[in-house]
Amino acid sequence: GIQVEQSPPDLILQEGANSTLRCNFSDSVNNLQWFHQNPWGQLINLFYIPSGTKQNGRLSATTVATERYSLLYISSSQTTDSGVYFCAVLGGRRALTFGSGTRLQVQP
Amino acid sequence: DTGVSQDPRHKITKRGQNVTFRCDPISEHNRLYWYRQTLGQGPEFLTYFQNEAQLEKSRLLSDRFSAERPKGSFSTLEIQRTEQGDSAMYLCASSPGLAEGGNEQFFGPGTRLTVL
C-alpha cells in the first residue's frame, strides 16, 4: 500500500515563529488532507489539497502531486497551534492512509 | 451541531466483555469510515461503508469486530470478547461521496476505549 512519511516528527517553536511541515507519499494520490489533532483527540480539517496551493489565515499548504509531496506552512505561530499535525492521502482505495504526524509545541 | 458525532466518548470495560460504539455521520454523507488510533500513531483504517453496503475491511478488523450501517445513516462498531490490545481511540469519519470535494473526510470526536 501507499506509504506516507512526515517530517520533522517533533518541533518546538517560540511563539511568533514560522514553520514548514513536510509530507512525502510513495504513489499518486486522489486526495490529500492536512489535519490538526487537538489535545482531546479531535481531528480538525485544515486543508483538502490534492494539488496546488491554498491559504487559510496564518496557514497555507502546497501539494506537488507530480513530485509526491505536500508542505504545510504555519506563520506567526501561537500557543493554540500546539498539537499533532497529520497528513493523510487517498490512493487507490477509499480510506485515508495517515502519516505518523508532526508533534508541534509552541512555547510562549 | 451538524458535524460527525460519536457515542460514548469514553468506555472502560473488562477483558472479555463486549462493547458497541455508535457513529452518526454528517447528514446526507453517503460514505462512512471507521479508523483506530493507538498512542503516538496516526489513525489506521478499519472499514468503509457506501450507504448501507460495507465495501471494504482492513486486515486489522479481526473476526471479533463487526460493523453495521443498517439504513445507510448511523453506524455501529461492536467488539466482542475485548482484549487489552483493543485499547485505542476509535474514530468515525464521513464524506459526501459526490461531486468535487466528495472525497474530503470529516472526523468525529472519537470513542476512547480502555480494556482492563
Side-chain angles (χ1 to χ4, degrees):
Chain A
I2 196 165
Q3 304 296 314
V4 181
E5 293 185 356
Q6 291 187 242
S7 60
D10 298 280
L11 187 58
I12 300 175
L13 297 176
Q14 291 298 121
E15 201 167 24
N18 303 328
S19 62
T20 301
L21 282 57
R22 186 177 179 101
C23 172
N24 293 332
F25 42 96
S26 61
D27 206 343
S28 58
V29 297
N30 298 317
N31 172 22
L32 187 145
Q33 292 185 243
W34 282 98
F35 296 93
H36 176 213
Q37 189 165 43
N38 66 21
W40 299 270
Q42 173 78 58
L43 282 167
I44 299 165
N45 289 40
L46 297 177
F47 294 101
Y48 171 80
I49 186 167
S51 64
T53 297
K54 291 185 177 180
Q55 180 154 7
N56 184 3
R58 296 181 296 103
L59 303 182
S60 63
T62 295
T63 297
V64 184
T66 54
E67 298 187 20
R68 299 179 183 170
Y69 74 89
S70 183
L71 302 173
L72 177 69
Y73 304 95
I74 305 175
S75 65
S76 304
S77 58
Q78 301 175 359
T79 56
T80 52
D81 294 332
S82 296
V84 184
Y85 290 80
F86 286 105
C87 167
V89 303
L90 199 69
R93 60 195 303 191
R94 291 298 181 186
L96 290 170
T97 299
F98 283 77
S100 296
T102 292
R103 288 152 190 79
L104 174 64
Q105 183 179 349
V106 181
Q107 296 179 337
Chain B
D1 187 5
T2 58
V4 179
S5 62
Q6 293 187 243
D7 183 71
R9 297 290 305 277
H10 303 272
K11 179 70 177 179
I12 300 174
T13 191
K14 293 182 179 180
R15 188 178 54 182
Q17 297 296 304
N18 300 341
V19 295
T20 300
F21 309 141
R22 177 179 170 125
C23 170
D24 287 87
I26 294 172
S27 178
E28 299 183 356
H29 278 193
N30 60 27
R31 294 179 183 167
L32 186 148
Y33 313 80
W34 286 98
Y35 293 82
R36 183 173 71 184
Q37 185 179 21
T38 53
L39 196 63
Q41 303 296 319
E44 295 176 290
F45 167 68
L46 292 178
T47 190
Y48 151 65
F49 291 85
Q50 172 108 9
N51 298 312
E52 66 275 10
Q54 188 175 17
L55 297 185
E56 191 172 348
K57 292 192 288 187
S58 160
R59 293 172 298 177
L60 294 175
L61 210 68
S62 76
D63 56 6
R64 297 185 297 106
F65 288 69
S66 62
E68 294 182 340
R69 193 183 183 197
K71 297 183 179 179
S73 56
F74 73 92
S75 175
T76 58
L77 177 69
E78 180 183 17
I79 309 174
Q80 296 182 328
R81 305 181 304 280
T82 52
E83 302 173 355
Q84 288 184 327
D86 297 331
S87 296
M89 174 79 92
Y90 290 84
L91 295 163
C92 177
S94 69
S95 67
L98 297 171
E100 186 175 347
N103 287 327
E104 185 175 7
Q105 295 185 23
F106 298 86
F107 281 78
T111 294
R112 187 173 297 280
L113 173 66
T114 302
V115 182
L116 302 176

